[in-house]
């Protein structure tokens, strides 16, 4: 109970910080519109969707997962900033559960991630994206997206604890973009060289994108003879999440508890 109470307090602390960061709130509103317009209308005229269909409907699940991927870089920078500014040392000196600090970081990111996803869903609907297979499967897709984001925030939390400074974390954060590009988020993998196609299709991002497309009923669902992660995307996404959480949750808790000792 102490861990839960301390975690909720730290979640509240992170959310209250947003009141003093209007630029972050504006970015959460503007960036989804920019991404949909940029990728949907610029790439949309040049890319053929496998099996046919509207490219913006093919694209939106990729953008949903891509914004979840941003949790890795944002958590990494936030944690590195707390380390650099002495906030983490102060929390360690207080009667606060050390397990609660990384749980508070990832919990706050889950809340902001839900807010950002709602904005992006509304933006997609405004630009023609639709859900085709009912409310139940759509809610399941949203659950998959939130699980993916929560998993990435744990990876980012651990990496942030390894960073020597906030500046280093900030300079490395753009590297999440190539990880998103090495997937099926924006283009089909069919035309890629075999070695690159294997990397893209076993990328956890590709499984999450394929699972979202399948649950939302959007075009781009892989053929039955495709690679295992893409023909069983929901199972692959859950397995990836279980493995990554099993690795990075204990690593993050242990790293925070022992850092500086």
């Amino acid at each position: 109970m102490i861990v839960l109470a301390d975690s909720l307090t730290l979640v509240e602390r992170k959310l209250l910080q947003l009141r003093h960061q209007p630029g972050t709130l504006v970015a959460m509103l503007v960036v989804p519109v920019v991404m949909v317009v940029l990728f949907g209308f610029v790439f949309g005229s040049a890319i053929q969707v496998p099996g046919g269909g509207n490219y913006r409907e093919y694209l939106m699940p990729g953008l949903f997962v891509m914004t979840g991927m941003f949790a890795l870089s944002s958590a990494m920078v936030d944690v590195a900033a707390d380390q650099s500014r002495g906030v983490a040392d102060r929390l360690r000196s207080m009667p606060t559960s050390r397990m609660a600090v990384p749980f508070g970081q990832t919990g706050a990111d889950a809340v902001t991630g839900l807010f950002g996803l709602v904005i992006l869903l509304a933006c997609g609907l405004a630009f023609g994206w639709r859900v085709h297979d009912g409310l139940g499967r759509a809610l399941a897709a949203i659950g998959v997206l939130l699980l993916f984001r929560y998993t990435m925030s744990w990876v980012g939390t651990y990496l942030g604890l390894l960073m020597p400074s906030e500046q280093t974390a900030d300079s490395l954060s753009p590297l999440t973009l190539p990880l998103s590009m090495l997937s099926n988020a924006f283009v089909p993998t069919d035309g890629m060289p075999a070695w690159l196609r294997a990397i893209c299709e076993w990328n956890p991002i590709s499984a999450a994108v394929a699972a979202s497309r399948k649950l939302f009923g959007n075009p781009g669902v892989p053929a039955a003879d495709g690679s295992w992660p893409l023909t069983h995307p929901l199972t692959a996404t859950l397995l990836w999440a279980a493995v990554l959480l099993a690795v990075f949750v204990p690593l993050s808790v242990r790293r925070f508890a022992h850092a500086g000792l």
Side-chain angles (χ1 to χ4, degrees):
M1 292 301 294
I2 294 175
V3 174
L4 178 61
D6 288 349
S7 298
L8 292 175
T9 300
L10 292 167
V11 168
E12 184 180 6
R13 167 186 169 262
K14 286 286 183 183
L15 295 178
L16 287 175
Q17 286 180 332
L18 289 176
R19 295 171 57 186
H20 306 289
Q21 299 171 347
T24 302
L25 296 175
V26 171
M28 290 180 70
L29 294 171
V30 174
V31 170
V33 179
V34 173
M35 287 197 301
V36 174
V37 172
L38 180 65
F39 290 104
F41 289 92
V42 174
F43 290 176
S45 60
I47 296 176
Q48 296 295 319
V49 177
N54 184 290
Y55 179 71
R56 282 192 291 281
E57 290 210 341
Y58 174 86
L59 171 70
M60 287 309 299
L63 291 181
F64 297 149
V65 174
M66 182 180 173
T67 56
M69 191 65 191
F70 289 160
L72 192 157
S73 56
S74 64
M76 181 172 68
V77 173
D78 284 351
V79 171
D82 282 350
Q83 295 280 106
S84 300
R85 298 169 187 173
V87 176
D89 289 336
R90 181 169 176 79
L91 290 172
R92 289 190 191 96
S93 69
M94 298 171 66
T96 304
S97 169
R98 296 193 173 187
M99 289 180 62
V101 177
F103 274 99
Q105 168 66 43
T106 54
D109 189 80
V111 175
T112 56
L114 176 60
F115 180 62
L117 180 59
V118 169
I119 295 173
L120 192 55
L121 286 166
C123 188
L125 289 170
F127 282 93
W129 168 75
R130 294 291 182 269
V131 172
H132 296 286
D133 286 347
L135 180 61
R137 289 175 66 84
L139 291 176
I142 291 172
V144 167
L145 294 168
L146 293 177
L147 175 63
F148 179 81
R149 183 181 180 100
Y150 188 66
T151 303
M152 290 300 106
S153 70
W154 273 105
V155 178
T157 296
Y158 179 67
L159 295 177
L161 290 167
L162 297 179
M163 293 293 116
S165 67
E166 180 183 357
Q167 290 74 21
T168 303
D170 197 39
S171 63
L172 292 176
S173 61
L175 294 178
T176 57
L177 182 60
L179 292 177
S180 299
M181 302 301 288
L182 285 172
S183 71
N184 62 350
F186 304 105
V187 296
T189 59
D190 300 354
M192 298 179 182
W195 63 271
L196 183 59
R197 180 177 178 179
I199 292 173
C200 292
E201 291 182 347
W202 281 88
N203 184 343
I205 295 172
S206 294
V209 172
S212 300
R213 285 182 182 138
K214 189 172 184 179
L215 290 169
F216 282 131
N218 294 144
V221 175
D225 59 349
S227 62
W228 187 86
L230 298 191
T231 52
H232 303 82
L234 184 56
T235 304
T237 302
L238 296 177
L239 285 175
W240 271 119
V243 170
L244 292 173
L245 288 173
V247 171
F248 286 100
V249 171
L251 280 178
S252 300
V253 171
R254 180 180 173 81
R255 179 72 185 179
F256 179 82
H258 293 85
L261 297 179

